[in-house]
Structure formats: C-alpha cells, structure tokens
Amino acid sequence: MPQEYVIFLLDDGVYPDSLNQNRFYKKIPQNAIFEQICMDATLNCDQREAVNTLSGPLLVLAGAGSGKTRVVTVRIAKLIDTGISPRRILAMTFTNKAAQEMQKRIASMISTHRENQPEISTFHSLCVRILRRQIHNLGYPNNFSILDASDQNSICRKVLREIRVSDASLKPRDLLYHIGQWKSRGISPKIATRDADTDREHLAAVAFRRYQDELTRCGTVDFDDLLLLTSVLFRDYPEVRENEADRFDHILVDEYQDTNDIQYSIVKSLSQKHRNLCVVGDDDQSIYGFRGSDVRHILNFASDWPGAKTIRLEANYRSTEAILEVSNRLIRFNANRYDKVLKAARAGGQKPRIEQFGDEEHESKQVVTSIRRDLESNGRQPSDIAILFRTNEQPRLFETELRKFDIPYVLLGSHSFYDRKEIKDLVAYLRVIHHADDEPSMRRIINNPPRGISANSVSALVEIATQRGVSLWQVMLDNEALQTLKVPARMSIRNFIETIRSLQQTFSENLELSTFHSFLSAIQYKKEVLRNSEDEAETEQRWASVEEMANVFGAYLGRKRKPTLESFLEEIALAESDFDDDKDDQLDRNAVALLTLHASKGLEFPVVYMVGLEEGLLPHGRAVAAEGPAIDEERRLAYVGVTRAQDELTLSLSLTRRKWGRVQEQNPSRFLFEMIGQADNPHDAVVKRETETTNH
DNA sequence: CAAAGCCGTTTTTTT
DNA sequence: AACGGCTTTG
C-alpha cells in the first residue's frame, strides 16, 4: 500500500530529554519510526495502551493533566497509521476551540491529503450539517436559522405574556432553563405536560409547547433543537441514520463526561454497528449539568457497551505534588465517582497559598500586586498567569487594576463582541436578508433605524401572524392584513419591504466586502450610530464595532472557497469561526488570562489565582440552595480550577462583597476547609471504619 | 411616532 | 450599579 501519510512530531509534551533535543522529526516515513517515537519513548504504559486499543468500545478515564489530548491525537494518528482512511474517523468535541486545537495537533503529526482529513467537529456543527441535508423530512425549511440566546429569551417572554403568566410565577429565564433541561433529555412538550409535578412545572410545560410552535412558525431552531432534531431524525428515519453512520468506522468522543442524553443517543446511533467507539473524559470534571450533561453516561459506559475496556490515566504531568495533594483531597469529598487518585510526576513544589481580604477591591489590588511581583522579580511572563473566577461579574475589578499598571490581559470566553448592540443589529439584518421569516431578527430591525413602524403596528401584525400560524414577514406581504394599519404605517412597511428585497438582491448577486458596505449605506446605519451616541467618543466606539463586523465578514470571505450568507450566519451562530482570533493573538502576544472556571477547562497555566472562594459564590448561592448534587458539581468546578495550576496556586477570598449595590458579609468557601484538611470527609470515615474492622 | 424618564429586576456557568 | 421595559411627554 503506498504511504500517503507522513508522520512527524512537534508536540510539546512530557518527552524524555533525549527526545526533546531533536524533536523536529520532520516527515519521517512512518511505521517503525512512529512506533518508536510515539509508543515507546513518549507515552507511559497506560497511555500506550489507550493508543494501541484501536477497536471495540474503549473508555479512557483521563485525570486532569494526564496527557489526554496527546493520547487522543496520537490515537487518531495511530489509526491512520494502521491504514484506516482518515475520513472514516470522526472525533467529536464540545467546543470549537477544542476541535480546532485537535485539528492543529493532528496536522502537526500527520500530513494527509486535504480531501481526506479526519472529521473533527463539535456536536453542534456535525448536527447542523446533517440537518441542512435532511431536515425537510421533519417539515422544517432547509434554510432554517439558528436562534441565539437573546432571541430565545424574547420568545419565552412573548409566550409567557400570551398565556398570561405573571413574571413572579415563572420568569422567561426559568422557562428557558426548563426547556433546556427537557430538550437535552429528549422530552417533548406533551410528555413534559404529563409528567409535570408542580403547577409551576405544568405552566412551564404549557409554555414549552407554545415556544416550540413559535419556533416552527418562524422557521427557526434553537441550539438544543440542533441535537434533538438530529436524534429524532435518526429515530424516525433509519435510512438517514444508517447513511450517516456508514460514513465512519471509528468514533471518538472527547470530554465524554459532558454528554447529555441526546448527545449520548446520537453517539450510540452512529457507532452501534461497528462498535469502534472510544470515549475520553474525567468524571471529576463534569461541570455542565446545568445544560443537561449527565455524569452517569461516563459512569455507565462499561455496562452500556459490553466488552468495553477501561483504561485509567492517573499520572499527572501538569501540577506539582503540592498542588495535586490539595486537589485530590478536595475531590474525594464527592460521592459518585470513579475513585482515582492522581499521582504527581513532579515532586515537591510550593504549597498553595490562601489569602483573605476585607473587601473585593482589596482582593483585586492584592492579586494584581502579586502579579506584578511575579512579572518583575519572579521572571514570569504575563501569559504564564491566569485569574479564574466563578461568575462574569467578578473580573471587572481585576481588569481596572490590571489596566492601571499597564499589564496586558485578555478576558476570555465572554461573547461580548456579539453582545454589542451594533453587532446584534447588523447580524439581525443579515439574517432577515437571508431568511425573512426569521421573526426575532425581523422584530429587532423592523423599526431600527426608526422608519415609522411603531411598536403598536408591529404587535398588531404579530398578533395576526400568530393567529394564522405564519411568520410576521408573510403578514407584512399581505395587503389585506395591512389594511388594519393606518396609512403612514402601511407606507413605511411597503418601503421597508422594498429595502429588504433590494438587499436580498444585492447579496445574492455578489458576495464581497463591498456588498457589506453598500448594505450599511442602504440602511443608513452610520446615521443610526450617530443618533445613538452622546458624544464623539461614543460614536467612534460604536462605529468601531461596525467596522469590526465588516472585518469578520471580510475574514470569512477570505477563508471560504465558496462563501454564502447562510454559512456565514451559521458560523456566527455556532461561534464556529474563531472570531476570538484577536484574543488568541493577544494570548500569544503575552497577556494575563482572565476566565471563568468553566472556560478554563482544558487549559493550564504556571501561575493561577483563583479568586472569590466564598460561600455563595463558589459554591454558588443557587447550588447551596439546591444542595446535594449541585454542590458536588460546584466542587468539581473548584477541582477543575485548582488543577489548572502547574507551579503556583493562590486561592483568595473577600470577607465582604457588594451585590446590587449592597455590601454583604461573605464566609470562606467550604471547599477551602476541605482542601486544607479542616473538614470531615465522610468518605474517609468509611475507609477508616473498614480498616478498623479488618484490623480486629 | 420618537425621546426622555421612571421603575423594577438582575447574574451561575455555555454550545 | 446598570440595564431593559414601560409610561409619559414632546
């Protein structure tokens, strides 16, 4: 067989020194060398086994910092090395970042023909691709648009208003949460209604039905639908399922502890035939329960897949022994888990510090002072340092403080770019241009900039639309329906329809950067920006967002061989394109990272500051109120945080904190006591009793 | 119909 | 403290 693939290693990892010295094994012909380099020299025996177990169901229980990413990528390389065609391999990740990272790493080990790459994608983008081809089976339009969080919220609000639910009994946010939970478990409105225990839940279930009808009416789907509809498609259309399943011989799921029921069923559908399913994850790092992830999937893997092999990676190459000791002690407080104890490959190390401050301002000042010390006298680079926090309100103070001393920083993970008003407006326009039935977007722009279509007129039309079960756009096109409005409003709507139509024309004719600019002038957006700004500085700032949007568009056009408005919007909705390129650049350009604990998963930093270790914040107040498993998840979150640190870890807390303008007393987090061994561990008690009895 | 001003709520985490 | 929705005013 001609060797199409070339393998070489440029991966930083835990190589023995001898290997590190000449680690640019460029384009070494494979086989023997591959064995030698990847198998013997650079992997420990557990890792080697995980890489070598190429067929059948396999569970890799990878502890924090155990070299999971390397195992995954080397395993894929190995599969290809044994002659499996790359395109027959599917690797699923949960974030786009992880997918890109994996792609990059594999590309650094193996060069394959660009038409013949392993498919590495998130669940969401995989499902979008399937749905674009197949969703007509379920009666949705193929050009469905994807709802973002704020659209979801406004639909929830509308639905609740319609069924006259007062805000006090069920808030849009709560409804959204319920819907998310239901959808991630594949529960339909009907079943939700039937199984509702409380009045509140019943109400939510009724609203759920309406919400879903509303989506169908607008020809849109939400994030959860992408997965849910795919699983429905697989269930009801076996030929579709087989078609998709037949595309792959090997499936790999990263971060398996984060799968929800739907993702689980999709994975199962795709791999039940060949059973070559490798899942990798760490039950101790399951932190997405709030969006339906269920640790039980990883805990039950062995019984789900008879004959499955389990491999534990318990050596930790990331953190020092001192840090790991604290981490291990903390996570042992959780009950339902695989009992694994990470062993430090790096002995000794500095003990984690705990620092307590009077208020959150002092906390931020001191942390930044300490960061300055790291930079000035301890020889650290800004990019060596991370500040981790629980909620997104926390970083503000740290930002101001860092800015004060001109320390470069990046605030990671917040989608702030797409939260800006200008961006939202422009995206809404583009969505309407692409798919005028997209009602949430339509409502956003219909009178923005003001063009004489009042809110009253809009709601009158929406009412008709709801009654008829068609979209707002359909009603706007209906002359008869327009008769209910006053003449000026009618005229304005006709003008607006013309504007949209001509824009649709413009965008369908040619898609280039200039299209975007003529679009901006067509809607006179500059004027709108001016109108909304108090002063020149604000205008400038707002217009900068608009220009950035143009850049994103331009970058997209440059990247795609066959650009379409549809795929551009899709990238935005799934945040697929790394619009954070800028941020990554900054990260490369050496900046302190500020990120939530959730966003920190999978990353590592030599120096970590974990801040706000207080009851009510970590564990979060809601979790404290809910008790039980919710607290366990918070503990895992804390565990994820401490295991990010390679060399130095500082845990800090503030004894008071301002919330909604009021100063509140705070207590140190229970996790702190657990970490330093000043809390009783029920699980230790069990172990102790057992040893006592055996002794007697 | 648009702008200004008042009121009440809000924040857990994300694809 | 800050933002969004609603009401009043121009």
Side-chain angles (χ1 to χ4, degrees):
Chain A
M1 194 190 210
Q3 292 308 326
E4 187 188 346
Y5 322 112
V6 192
I7 296 177
F8 53 97
L9 256 139
L10 317 146
D11 191 358
D12 282 329
V14 271
Y15 303 115
D17 285 344
S18 62
L19 248 152
N20 263 332
Q21 281 160 17
N22 47 3
R23 64 171 212 262
F24 295 96
Y25 282 91
K26 282 202 180 152
K27 313 224 169 191
I28 289 172
Q30 44 145 12
N31 292 340
I33 312 279
F34 182 88
E35 288 290 326
Q36 194 183 322
I37 300 172
C38 293
M39 303 295 102
D40 303 330
T42 69
L43 300 175
N44 70 31
C45 73
D46 295 333
Q47 293 174 326
R48 202 176 310 156
E49 200 184 350
V51 166
N52 278 326
T53 308
L54 293 180
S55 62
L58 171 68
L59 165 63
V60 179
L61 274 178
S66 62
K68 179 191 79 180
T69 317
R70 290 190 56 233
V71 167
V72 167
T73 49
V74 174
R75 192 172 182 281
I76 293 174
K78 177 80 183 175
L79 279 168
I80 297 170
D81 190 51
T82 57
I84 295 182
S85 171
R87 58 136 66 96
R88 307 284 304 166
I89 301 169
L90 170 66
M92 283 191 260
T93 62
F94 279 77
T95 65
N96 294 297
K97 216 173 179 172
Q100 283 162 7
E101 187 71 13
M102 202 183 283
Q103 255 152 14
K104 240 191 284 172
R105 279 175 178 253
I106 288 172
S108 79
M109 286 194 283
I110 294 184
S111 61
T112 60
H113 193 267
R114 77 183 331 196
E115 299 295 317
N116 191 11
Q117 302 278 351
E119 177 145 353
I120 299 172
S121 82
T122 61
F123 274 94
H124 286 84
S125 23
L126 181 83
C127 290
V128 168
R129 252 168 283 147
I130 294 171
L131 291 177
R132 286 274 180 231
R133 291 195 300 265
Q134 304 288 354
I135 199 169
H136 56 266
N137 286 315
L138 301 174
Y140 282 77
N142 275 51
N143 66 345
F144 64 85
S145 48
I146 303 164
L147 236 55
D148 69 26
S150 67
D151 294 340
Q152 274 184 292
N153 222 302
S154 58
I155 290 188
C156 283
R157 184 159 289 133
K158 173 170 187 270
V159 163
L160 289 175
R161 228 186 349 244
E162 272 170 23
I163 56 175
R164 293 207 199 82
V165 174
S166 70
D167 242 29
S169 48
L170 189 69
K171 289 175 188 139
R173 201 181 179 78
D174 300 325
L175 175 58
L176 210 53
Y177 177 79
H178 277 290
I179 292 179
Q181 291 287 322
W182 281 321
K183 285 196 175 180
S184 66
R185 296 192 164 78
I187 294 171
S188 67
K190 212 167 157 186
I191 299 175
T193 318
R194 198 193 60 201
D195 291 354
D197 290 332
T198 61
D199 281 357
R200 214 175 115 95
E201 223 168 272
H202 196 265
L203 210 57
V206 172
F208 178 24
R209 144 129 293 152
R210 291 210 154 215
Y211 168 91
Q212 210 51 36
D213 290 346
E214 194 67 13
L215 294 200
T216 331
R217 187 170 67 79
C218 308
T220 59
V221 303
D222 64 21
F223 274 114
D224 299 313
D225 282 338
L226 294 175
L227 305 178
L228 186 60
L229 293 175
T230 305
S231 77
V232 170
L233 204 56
F234 284 174
R235 189 194 63 203
D236 296 346
Y237 296 84
E239 71 282 2
V240 173
R241 183 190 66 224
E242 269 170 42
N243 234 320
E244 294 298 329
D246 282 346
R247 291 176 56 209
F248 306 106
D249 297 323
H250 286 267
I251 293 182
L252 192 143
V253 186
D254 195 11
E255 306 286 11
Y256 190 68
Q257 76 281 359
D258 289 334
T259 39
N260 64 33
D261 291 358
I262 296 297
Q263 288 160 332
Y264 169 82
S265 92
I266 292 173
V267 169
K268 200 154 195 173
S269 301
L270 291 179
S271 40
Q272 62 193 8
K273 202 157 153 195
H274 50 68
R275 288 177 42 97
N276 292 325
L277 171 65
C278 167
V279 304
V280 183
D282 180 0
D283 50 315
D284 289 333
Q285 293 187 63
S286 164
I287 54 174
Y288 285 106
F290 65 90
R291 64 174 197 218
S293 308
D294 197 334
V295 222
R296 278 176 303 184
H297 294 135
I298 195 167
L299 295 175
N300 297 339
F301 185 82
S303 51
D304 275 344
W305 295 89
K309 191 165 172 179
T310 302
I311 294 170
R312 285 160 196 258
L313 305 180
E314 293 182 295
N316 175 298
Y317 299 97
R318 176 185 295 150
S319 313
T320 61
E321 196 177 0
I323 291 169
L324 223 50
E325 194 184 316
V326 161
S327 322
N328 280 332
R329 207 181 289 148
L330 173 69
I331 199 63
R332 278 192 40 72
F333 279 81
N334 272 11
N336 296 319
R337 55 184 290 266
Y338 287 109
D339 195 16
K340 45 186 170 350
V341 177
L342 298 192
K343 292 171 200 75
R346 304 175 55 200
Q350 223 177 82
K351 264 185 115 170
R353 280 178 303 188
I354 297 176
E355 298 191 341
Q356 180 172 301
F357 303 100
D359 57 52
E360 69 267 43
E361 252 173 68
H362 276 96
E363 186 187 32
S364 62
K365 284 208 165 88
Q366 280 310 307
V367 166
V368 172
T369 306
S370 171
I371 288 177
R372 283 164 59 210
R373 208 165 35 235
D374 293 335
L375 296 174
E376 281 156 23
S377 26
N378 298 345
R380 295 291 186 185
Q381 293 293 310
S383 61
D384 291 340
I385 303 169
I387 303 176
L388 309 183
F389 40 84
R390 177 70 231 274
T391 70
N392 277 316
E393 73 186 329
Q394 286 172 270
R396 293 204 174 181
L397 284 170
F398 293 91
E399 280 188 86
T400 9
E401 205 60 25
L402 288 165
R403 230 177 284 140
K404 203 153 94 190
F405 294 101
D406 267 337
I407 301 173
Y409 70 88
V410 262
L411 187 58
L412 284 160
S414 71
H415 280 210
S416 54
F417 176 64
Y418 288 106
D419 285 342
R420 287 181 234 167
K421 179 186 179 298
E422 292 72 31
I423 307 299
K424 278 186 172 173
D425 287 353
L426 295 177
V427 170
Y429 265 101
L430 294 178
R431 287 182 162 196
V432 166
I433 290 166
H434 166 246
H435 182 204
D437 290 316
D438 181 337
E439 196 168 303
S441 303
M442 178 60 87
R443 294 178 67 165
R444 178 171 191 100
I445 60 158
I446 191 166
N447 198 33
N448 170 14
R451 53 171 69 84
I453 307 174
S454 73
N456 283 338
S457 312
V458 175
S459 42
L461 294 180
V462 168
E463 192 154 326
I464 299 175
T466 315
Q467 273 169 18
R468 296 188 186 171
V470 298
S471 71
L472 174 55
W473 175 248
Q474 298 303 328
V475 176
M476 285 161 68
L477 295 177
D478 181 350
N479 276 319
E480 209 175 301
L482 289 187
Q483 296 306 316
T484 53
L485 302 181
K486 296 212 177 83
V487 180
R490 224 182 292 165
M491 291 305 294
S492 307
I493 288 180
R494 295 225 170 91
N495 282 336
F496 178 62
I497 292 174
E498 274 321 300
T499 312
I500 293 300
R501 285 206 164 133
S502 87
L503 282 171
Q504 285 172 332
Q505 188 70 23
T506 317
F507 274 89
S508 66
E509 271 161 13
N510 61 337
L511 214 56
E512 37 190 87
L513 200 51
S514 66
T515 321
F516 192 81
H517 286 111
S518 41
F519 152 64
L520 287 179
S521 48
I523 60 171
Q524 305 193 349
Y525 202 70
K526 182 103 194 190
K527 227 160 125 189
E528 170 72 1
V529 167
L530 278 168
R531 194 179 64 92
N532 279 321
S533 307
E534 302 265 302
D535 52 43
E536 234 170 85
E538 198 183 336
T539 314
E540 211 169 290
Q541 208 176 14
R542 287 177 184 275
W543 192 251
S545 304
V546 176
E547 280 176 345
E548 237 178 291
M549 185 71 211
N551 289 342
V552 170
F553 187 65
Y556 164 80
L557 292 177
R559 184 173 56 238
K560 279 276 166 147
R561 265 174 294 171
K562 219 176 130 270
T564 63
L565 189 53
E566 175 173 283
S567 80
F568 176 62
L569 291 171
E570 203 164 281
E571 279 200 8
I572 289 178
L574 300 175
E576 209 174 76
S577 77
D578 211 348
F579 53 84
D580 288 334
D581 271 356
D582 222 34
K583 281 177 179 167
D584 276 351
D585 282 359
Q586 279 188 60
L587 208 60
D588 290 341
R589 234 181 278 137
N590 212 354
V592 174
L594 272 65
L595 61 178
T596 63
L597 290 165
H598 283 90
S600 76
K601 196 164 69 149
L603 305 177
E604 58 185 14
F605 302 89
V607 181
V608 168
Y609 293 87
M610 220 168 124
V611 302
L613 273 132
E614 296 144 35
E615 284 293 300
L617 207 47
L618 182 68
H620 192 270
R622 293 208 178 206
V624 175
E627 290 180 339
I631 294 287
D632 285 358
E633 179 145 325
E634 296 288 308
R635 189 176 285 110
R636 290 192 288 266
L637 203 46
Y639 175 75
V640 166
V642 291
T643 51
R644 297 310 96 192
Q646 294 174 296
D647 306 332
E648 287 174 47
L649 173 65
T650 307
L651 306 160
S652 72
L653 68 124
S654 159
L655 290 174
T656 64
R657 194 169 284 273
R658 208 171 266 278
K659 182 136 186 164
W660 302 330
R662 299 196 68 87
V663 176
Q664 286 190 330
E665 301 268 319
Q666 298 290 100
N667 289 318
S669 166
R670 67 189 76 182
F671 300 147
L672 277 176
F673 296 110
E674 295 173 0
M675 282 190 260
I676 59 177
Q678 286 188 16
D680 288 332
N681 191 336
H683 308 302
D684 283 343
V686 173
V687 175
K688 210 165 149 195
R689 228 176 299 128
E690 278 166 7
T691 35
E692 273 167 15
T693 29
T694 37
N695 284 348
H696 281 249

